[in-house]
Amino acid sequence: MERPIDVLNNAKGKRVLLRLKKGIEISGVLQAMDLHLNMWLEHAELVDSEGKTKLGTVLVRGDNILYVSPEKSE
Amino acid sequence: MERPIDVLNNAKGKRVLLRLKKGIEISGVLQAMDLHLNMWLEHAELVDSEGKTKLGTVLVRGDNILYVSPEKSE
Amino acid sequence: MERPIDVLNNAKGKRVLLRLKKGIEISGVLQAMDLHLNMWLEHAELVDSEGKTKLGTVLVRGDNILYVSPEKSE
Amino acid sequence: MERPIDVLNNAKGKRVLLRLKKGIEISGVLQAMDLHLNMWLEHAELVDSEGKTKLGTVLVRGDNILYVSPEKSE
Amino acid sequence: MERPIDVLNNAKGKRVLLRLKKGIEISGVLQAMDLHLNMWLEHAELVDSEGKTKLGTVLVRGDNILYVSPEKSE
Amino acid sequence: MERPIDVLNNAKGKRVLLRLKKGIEISGVLQAMDLHLNMWLEHAELVDSEGKTKLGTVLVRGDNILYVSPEKSE
Amino acid sequence: MERPIDVLNNAKGKRVLLRLKKGIEISGVLQAMDLHLNMWLEHAELVDSEGKTKLGTVLVRGDNILYVSPEKSE
């Protein structure tokens, strides 16, 4: 039986886009995640109304997340 | 005994409409879901006050959901 | 010992009215529910400030619910 | 050892007043309740800024409740 | 090992003051409480911006509470 | 393995400062705390936009807390 | 299998930056953390719209956290 979290197993080592409840977006290379959607990202960047900010390594608390999307390749 | 989540078992591989608490709507082809209503969608699209955005593959965190509806066929 | 949820056992197959925390109302024929008050409704309709919308089949996430009421017969 | 919920055991079959977090009040005859303060009321009435509305039979989700009070007899 | 809740064991049968998250205050004689801080009060009174209201017997849902304080004797 | 809560074990019997989510601050002598950060304080004082208020003995519900800080000695 | 929290194991004894949901930032030397992201920091500083404040030793309740980032070395 497939679980929703499985969509992220294929995304490990690839860039994912997190849209947070607060309207902020964070993108980064997915290193690890758990069932609460806590996520460890590398080379992360934050995008909000003030523009782009480099975050580097970051652990995002899962309860802030609206959705996660592996970046489209094409 | 039937459970509410069973309504989504028949919806797998079909397009569902998610209405989120924030007033945003996301539609997509249901790939997998769990009891928290975390949902993995393919060919997803987001509709908010700014219009339609293609999301592609997406994992929506269940606690954002107001309701889920399989798209009406007719 | 009677539980609050038992009031809905008699309501299965009948129309119930959900008042949500956000002020929205959804009515529909109750198909299944669980202890979180997740509810599967058929022939559902949403009523908000913009009027009535047919939803058809719908799964409402229980944490949105203020109260549920079986529709009065008389 | 007495528990807070015990105050409602004596209130079964009697009218109770629910004050909800949103400022709405619901009164009704207590039929059943559980530890989450989910409550099944009969002959329920809602009082908000727009006046009184008859609800009949109703199941109130406990997480909306600010406090519950058995109606004063005198 | 002392637990925070123990401070209320000595307060049983005495008047306590509840400050709620919404800015409302409720005082009453503590009859019973549990680990969620659900509280059964007797001779309760509510104080909000509109003044004082007698509530009589009341069960306050613990998740509304900011803090509880046994009334100062002197 | 050290746990975050251990920082408070050394603070027992000393004054701690609680900053709450609502912007209010409460300081008091730490008597007991648990893993939810429920805290029993003695000789407590509340500081908000209206000034300082003596609270005496108080039990603060942990879910209101932003952070706790043992008062700096120097 | 790597877990998101593991990113913080390497950060112990180093300065981390916490961005909180309320827009406040706290930085400090990470002493201990747990799975809820409760964090014990030393030499902590708070940055909000009013500027920088020294906090010294602090325990931040994990549910306030948006993300945590080990400070970039270069």
Side-chain angles (χ1 to χ4, degrees):
Chain A
M1 167 100 188
E2 232 172 9
R3 298 170 309 156
I5 194 86
D6 292 334
V7 67
L8 295 179
N9 284 327
N10 308 321
K12 275 197 190 165
K14 295 179 190 158
R15 191 159 280 269
V16 297
L17 180 74
L18 277 57
R19 176 135 169 208
L20 305 189
K21 292 174 184 173
K22 287 195 172 317
I24 301 170
E25 291 187 341
I26 295 178
S27 85
V29 176
L30 181 61
Q31 197 73 14
M33 81 283 175
D34 63 23
L35 286 173
H36 304 287
L37 300 195
N38 295 318
M39 297 208 176
W40 167 5
L41 304 176
E42 293 288 345
H43 310 294
E45 284 182 347
L46 179 146
V47 184
D48 62 13
S49 57
E50 295 173 31
K52 243 178 196 179
T53 318
K54 280 198 193 304
L55 300 177
T57 300
V58 78
L59 169 57
V60 180
R61 206 176 192 264
D63 68 330
N64 296 290
I65 291 177
L66 194 65
Y67 62 79
V68 191
S69 189
E71 288 214 342
K72 288 169 278 193
S73 310
E74 72 281 62
Chain B
M1 167 101 187
E2 233 172 9
R3 299 169 310 155
I5 194 87
D6 292 334
V7 69
L8 295 179
N9 284 326
N10 309 321
K12 275 196 189 165
K14 295 179 191 157
R15 191 159 281 269
V16 297
L17 179 74
L18 275 58
R19 175 135 170 210
L20 305 188
K21 292 174 184 173
K22 287 196 171 317
I24 302 170
E25 290 187 341
I26 295 178
S27 85
V29 176
L30 181 61
Q31 197 72 15
M33 82 283 175
D34 63 22
L35 286 172
H36 303 288
L37 300 195
N38 295 318
M39 297 210 176
W40 167 4
L41 305 175
E42 293 287 346
H43 309 294
E45 283 182 346
L46 179 147
V47 184
D48 62 12
S49 57
E50 295 174 29
K52 243 179 196 178
T53 317
K54 280 198 194 304
L55 300 177
T57 300
V58 78
L59 169 58
V60 179
R61 206 177 191 265
D63 67 331
N64 296 290
I65 291 177
L66 194 64
Y67 63 78
V68 191
S69 189
E71 287 214 343
K72 287 168 279 192
S73 310
E74 72 280 64
Chain C
M1 166 104 188
E2 233 173 8
R3 298 170 311 155
I5 194 87
D6 292 334
V7 69
L8 295 180
N9 284 327
N10 308 321
K12 276 197 189 164
K14 295 179 191 158
R15 191 160 280 268
V16 297
L17 179 75
L18 276 56
R19 174 133 171 212
L20 304 189
K21 293 174 184 173
K22 287 195 172 316
I24 302 170
E25 291 187 341
I26 294 178
S27 85
V29 177
L30 181 61
Q31 197 72 15
M33 82 283 175
D34 63 22
L35 286 172
H36 303 288
L37 299 195
N38 295 318
M39 298 210 176
W40 168 4
L41 305 175
E42 294 287 346
H43 309 294
E45 284 182 346
L46 179 146
V47 184
D48 63 12
S49 58
E50 295 173 29
K52 244 180 197 178
T53 317
K54 280 198 193 306
L55 300 177
T57 300
V58 77
L59 169 58
V60 180
R61 205 176 191 266
D63 68 330
N64 296 290
I65 291 177
L66 194 63
Y67 63 77
V68 191
S69 189
E71 287 214 343
K72 287 167 279 191
S73 310
E74 71 283 62
Chain D
M1 166 102 188
E2 234 173 7
R3 297 169 311 154
I5 194 88
D6 292 334
V7 69
L8 295 179
N9 284 327
N10 308 320
K12 275 198 191 164
K14 295 180 191 157
R15 191 159 280 270
V16 297
L17 179 75
L18 276 56
R19 174 133 171 212
L20 304 189
K21 292 174 183 172
K22 287 196 173 315
I24 302 170
E25 290 187 341
I26 295 178
S27 85
V29 176
L30 181 62
Q31 197 71 16
M33 80 284 175
D34 63 22
L35 286 172
H36 304 288
L37 299 196
N38 295 318
M39 297 209 176
W40 167 5
L41 305 176
E42 293 287 346
H43 309 293
E45 284 182 345
L46 179 146
V47 184
D48 62 12
S49 57
E50 295 173 30
K52 244 180 197 179
T53 317
K54 280 197 194 304
L55 299 177
T57 300
V58 77
L59 169 57
V60 180
R61 204 175 193 266
D63 68 329
N64 296 290
I65 291 178
L66 194 64
Y67 62 78
V68 191
S69 190
E71 287 214 342
K72 286 167 281 191
S73 310
E74 71 283 60
Chain E
M1 166 102 189
E2 233 172 7
R3 299 169 309 156
I5 194 87
D6 292 335
V7 68
L8 295 179
N9 284 326
N10 308 321
K12 275 198 191 163
K14 295 180 191 157
R15 191 159 280 270
V16 296
L17 178 75
L18 276 56
R19 174 134 172 211
L20 304 189
K21 292 174 184 174
K22 287 196 173 316
I24 302 169
E25 290 187 342
I26 295 179
S27 85
V29 176
L30 181 61
Q31 197 72 15
M33 81 283 174
D34 63 21
L35 286 172
H36 304 288
L37 299 196
N38 295 319
M39 296 210 177
W40 167 5
L41 304 176
E42 293 287 346
H43 310 294
E45 285 181 345
L46 179 145
V47 184
D48 62 12
S49 57
E50 295 172 30
K52 244 180 196 178
T53 317
K54 280 197 194 305
L55 300 177
T57 300
V58 78
L59 169 57
V60 180
R61 204 175 193 266
D63 68 329
N64 296 290
I65 291 177
L66 194 64
Y67 62 78
V68 190
S69 189
E71 287 215 342
K72 286 167 281 189
S73 311
E74 72 283 57
Chain F
M1 166 101 189
E2 233 171 7
R3 300 169 308 156
I5 194 87
D6 293 334
V7 68
L8 295 180
N9 285 326
N10 308 321
K12 275 197 190 164
K14 295 180 190 158
R15 191 160 279 270
V16 296
L17 179 76
L18 275 56
R19 175 136 171 209
L20 304 189
K21 292 174 183 173
K22 287 196 173 317
I24 302 170
E25 290 187 342
I26 295 179
S27 86
V29 176
L30 181 62
Q31 197 73 15
M33 81 283 174
D34 63 22
L35 286 172
H36 304 287
L37 299 195
N38 295 318
M39 296 208 178
W40 167 5
L41 304 176
E42 294 287 346
H43 310 294
E45 285 183 346
L46 180 145
V47 185
D48 62 12
S49 58
E50 294 172 31
K52 244 179 195 176
T53 317
K54 280 198 193 304
L55 300 177
T57 299
V58 78
L59 169 57
V60 180
R61 204 176 194 264
D63 68 330
N64 296 290
I65 291 177
L66 194 64
Y67 62 78
V68 191
S69 189
E71 287 215 343
K72 286 167 280 190
S73 311
E74 73 282 60
Chain G
M1 167 100 188
E2 232 171 8
R3 299 170 309 156
I5 194 86
D6 292 334
V7 68
L8 295 179
N9 284 326
N10 308 321
K12 276 198 189 162
K14 294 179 190 159
R15 192 159 280 270
V16 296
L17 179 75
L18 276 56
R19 175 136 170 209
L20 305 189
K21 292 174 184 174
K22 286 195 173 318
I24 302 170
E25 290 187 342
I26 295 179
S27 85
V29 176
L30 181 61
Q31 197 73 14
M33 82 283 176
D34 63 23
L35 286 173
H36 304 287
L37 300 194
N38 295 318
M39 296 208 178
W40 167 5
L41 304 175
E42 293 288 345
H43 310 294
E45 284 182 347
L46 179 146
V47 184
D48 62 13
S49 58
E50 296 173 30
K52 244 178 196 178
T53 317
K54 279 198 194 304
L55 299 176
T57 299
V58 77
L59 169 58
V60 180
R61 206 176 192 264
D63 68 330
N64 295 290
I65 291 177
L66 194 64
Y67 62 78
V68 191
S69 189
E71 288 214 342
K72 287 168 278 192
S73 311
E74 73 282 62

